[in-house]
Amino acid sequence: MDFQISEDTQTILELINEFVDKELLPLEQDFLHRPWDELMPTLAAKREMVKQMELWAPLHPKEYGGVGLGLVDYGLVCEALARSPLGVFVFGCQAPDAGNIEILIKYGTPEQKEKYLKPLIAGDIRSCFSMTEPEQPGSNPVLMDTTAVKEGGDYVINGHKWFTSSADGASFAIVMAVTNPEAPRHLRASMIIVPTDTPGFNLVRNIPVMGHVGSGWHSHGEILYQSCRVPQANLLGPEGHGFVIAQERLGPGRIHHCMRWIGICNRALEMMCHQALTREISPGQRLADKQIIQAWIAESAAEMRAARLMVLNCAWRIEHYGQKEARQDISLIKFYTAGVMQRVLDRAVQAHGGLGVTDDTVLASWYRGERSARIYDGVDEVHKVSVARRILKQYAAEHGLA
Ligand SMILES: Cc1cc2nc3c(=O)[nH]c(=O)nc-3n(C[C@H](O)[C@H](O)[C@H](O)COP(=O)(O)OP(=O)(O)OC[C@H]3O[C@@H](n4cnc5c(N)ncnc54)[C@H](O)[C@@H]3O)c2cc1C
């Protein structure tokens, strides 16, 4: 395995670091205190600058107007972008659009690509992904109440979804709905593209998360699909293959998230160091002189290094051996990195004292918002159980204990 960063990627990372420092960090207070719509004109101008720099959509293939980076390189880009909460959005690689783009590229029909994929990659529209339901366990999504019934040339969708991130202002949703109730559990649901202006698509509210209602891209919607009728041509991929496609969407997505979380840790550690070196806690003594603070810094650095290497290694394994072979690695990085981020953010908040829990810095927003990292894209417990089962199975087989 080779972690040598190519010259091209190194150049991209330097450009991104400079851009984040100069153009995005100064917008942080606006991000924390202003509604999304008010930010958009400024963000649109920044996005234009990114396009001019030819760094737009770093993940997506060149033929679709992206930079076409591989998974390891793109992971490094996510890390660099995540020092600002606006980084991925301004560079056109934000969730949930990035995942939706990947599946539209792979499964979209020529018409779907023209109508939905092209403007999505260009950043002219946004999208959302609507799978989780309040009345069913998202950890076991084969238990799903939402249905899509064929009628004439249409699907008629009925169901209740929530945590459809970024639904507010999105142009379309990719909805998971049961189309084949008699099929085996994993082949019952399909992905269907639903324009959000379709009658019967009802955004009930943006759900307050840790006290933050949010708006626009930075929100999580609750949606009622009430006799929502779309043409059968809006089926994405084969009927009944919704879970298969969802799994494909999640694997690389976890690399993106984990590297983004490492980027957040990098920034939190920088802020912790700055605070430690500038806060005098008694005459002639700074926070940085206290061994307990030094221990937080060292522990954070060690955990971040471990997580980073695990994630890069996982990305490398996905690139070389495929997602299936890297299944265990994907579970390991998902819960481990989320935990590291939570601990690093907690130490950074603590080191800032009262300031740490205000919204005068970005730390509190991350501390609240990124708690969800242990829940979305697979809760910690499901990943741990899956890793432990594999390890136990292998041990049992090797030691005649099956
Ligand atoms: C910020 C955020 C953004 C999200 N964005 C989206 C989105 O864009 N689209 C979308 O469709 N969904 C989204 N989700 C939903 C997310 O995927 C679900 O919340 C997640 O899958 C967990 O499902 P649940 O909330 O129904 O919890 P449940 O499945 O009810 O689980 C509750 C708890 O039970 C425990 N548990 C569950 N299963 C097991 C097990 N097998 N063993 C041991 N313990 C277990 C865990 O502690 C878990 O936290 C988002 C969630 C959050 C928080």
Side-chain angles (χ1 to χ4, degrees):
M1 176 188 11
D2 182 6
F3 281 157
Q4 188 69 36
I5 301 174
S6 73
E7 247 176 66
D8 284 355
T9 306
Q10 193 57 49
T11 307
I12 291 175
L13 293 173
E14 281 163 20
L15 287 169
I16 289 178
N17 283 329
E18 197 184 330
F19 188 92
V20 168
D21 282 343
K22 271 201 199 145
E23 305 293 339
L24 299 187
L25 295 191
L27 297 179
E28 209 153 75
Q29 285 302 312
D30 287 333
F31 169 75
L32 293 174
H33 300 288
R34 290 172 61 189
W36 188 255
D37 280 356
E38 283 181 22
L39 274 179
M40 256 325 280
T42 311
L43 297 182
K46 303 289 178 199
R47 287 179 138 199
E48 215 33 65
M49 290 170 74
V50 172
K51 287 180 181 171
Q52 295 299 322
M53 290 160 68
E54 298 186 2
L55 290 177
W56 177 255
L59 171 66
H60 305 305
K62 284 184 180 163
E63 58 183 297
Y64 289 101
V67 181
L69 294 180
L71 198 53
V72 173
D73 287 340
Y74 179 62
L76 294 166
V77 163
C78 287
E79 180 188 20
L81 289 176
R83 290 182 58 251
S84 159
L86 293 165
V88 286
F89 183 82
V90 168
F91 278 69
C93 51
Q94 70 284 355
D97 297 321
N100 288 346
I101 285 170
E102 286 187 335
I103 54 180
L104 277 163
I105 288 175
K106 185 154 181 198
Y107 293 99
T109 61
E111 293 74 26
Q112 289 170 349
K113 286 182 176 165
E114 194 58 36
K115 192 166 174 190
Y116 301 106
L117 176 63
K118 277 192 179 170
L120 191 58
I121 291 200
D124 296 337
I125 59 171
R126 286 194 292 100
S127 67
C128 54
F129 184 72
S130 206
M131 178 158 89
T132 307
E133 304 182 346
E135 289 84 12
Q136 292 289 355
S139 309
N140 188 13
V142 292
L143 301 175
M144 181 170 285
D145 289 337
T146 301
T147 55
V149 176
K150 280 180 178 160
E151 228 181 76
D154 297 331
Y155 280 115
V156 180
I157 303 173
N158 280 289
H160 187 193
K161 301 283 188 183
W162 77 341
F163 279 101
T164 299
S165 297
S166 313
D168 183 13
S171 295
F172 69 93
I174 296 181
V175 182
M176 283 279 270
V178 174
T179 46
N180 304 64
E182 307 306 328
R185 275 155 41 114
H186 286 87
L187 295 172
R188 282 180 196 162
S190 303
M191 288 197 187
I192 300 171
I193 301 171
V194 178
T196 54
D197 59 2
T198 311
F201 178 100
N202 296 312
L203 177 60
V204 179
R205 60 170 178 155
N206 286 331
I207 310 159
V209 174
M210 296 277 187
H212 178 81
V213 178
S215 60
W217 172 64
H218 196 217
S219 67
H220 307 285
E222 176 178 347
I223 299 165
L224 274 173
Y225 295 88
Q226 293 168 304
S227 300
C228 186
R229 184 181 282 271
V230 293
Q232 282 177 32
N234 283 23
L235 178 72
L236 181 59
E239 197 175 69
H241 279 234
F243 292 119
V244 179
I245 304 174
Q247 277 309 315
E248 286 180 24
R249 184 182 184 276
L250 281 175
R254 285 172 181 145
I255 300 287
H256 312 166
H257 278 312
C258 287
M259 287 306 283
R260 194 171 57 74
W261 300 337
I262 303 283
I264 290 173
C265 289
N266 290 338
R267 178 86 190 288
L269 183 60
E270 284 168 29
M271 292 174 73
M272 193 169 11
C273 291
H274 187 265
Q275 179 70 4
L277 287 165
T278 53
R279 188 69 162 172
E280 215 175 51
I281 36 134
S282 58
Q285 267 228 326
R286 297 166 309 175
L287 215 46
D289 299 321
K290 294 287 177 194
Q291 283 188 342
I292 197 158
I293 305 290
Q294 292 167 3
W296 292 350
I297 290 170
E299 282 160 12
S300 299
E303 290 179 48
M304 286 158 57
R305 177 75 62 90
R308 187 172 188 272
L309 290 173
M310 276 171 74
V311 180
L312 289 175
N313 177 249
C314 179
W316 185 89
R317 283 177 55 80
I318 294 177
E319 269 191 335
H320 285 78
Y321 302 114
Q323 211 186 131
K324 206 170 164 199
E325 278 301 305
R327 243 183 357 208
Q328 178 163 319
D329 306 69
I330 294 171
S331 281
L332 285 171
I333 61 162
K334 171 62 182 52
F335 75 79
Y336 185 72
T337 314
V340 168
M341 174 175 59
Q342 207 188 343
R343 289 191 290 278
V344 172
L345 282 172
D346 187 67
R347 291 178 194 126
V349 166
Q350 191 72 12
H352 281 74
L355 174 62
V357 294
T358 69
D359 285 327
D360 287 359
T361 83
V362 69
L363 287 173
S365 164
W366 272 334
Y367 185 80
R368 291 190 301 267
E370 299 299 341
R371 174 61 180 82
S372 300
R374 292 181 50 205
I375 295 171
Y376 61 73
D377 275 16
V379 296
D380 276 7
E381 292 71 23
V382 168
H383 286 295
K384 287 181 185 175
V385 166
S386 134
V387 167
R389 274 204 190 127
R390 272 165 186 273
I391 293 171
L392 288 167
K393 195 173 162 194
Q394 192 177 338
Y395 184 90
E398 284 168 5
H399 294 81
L401 296 170

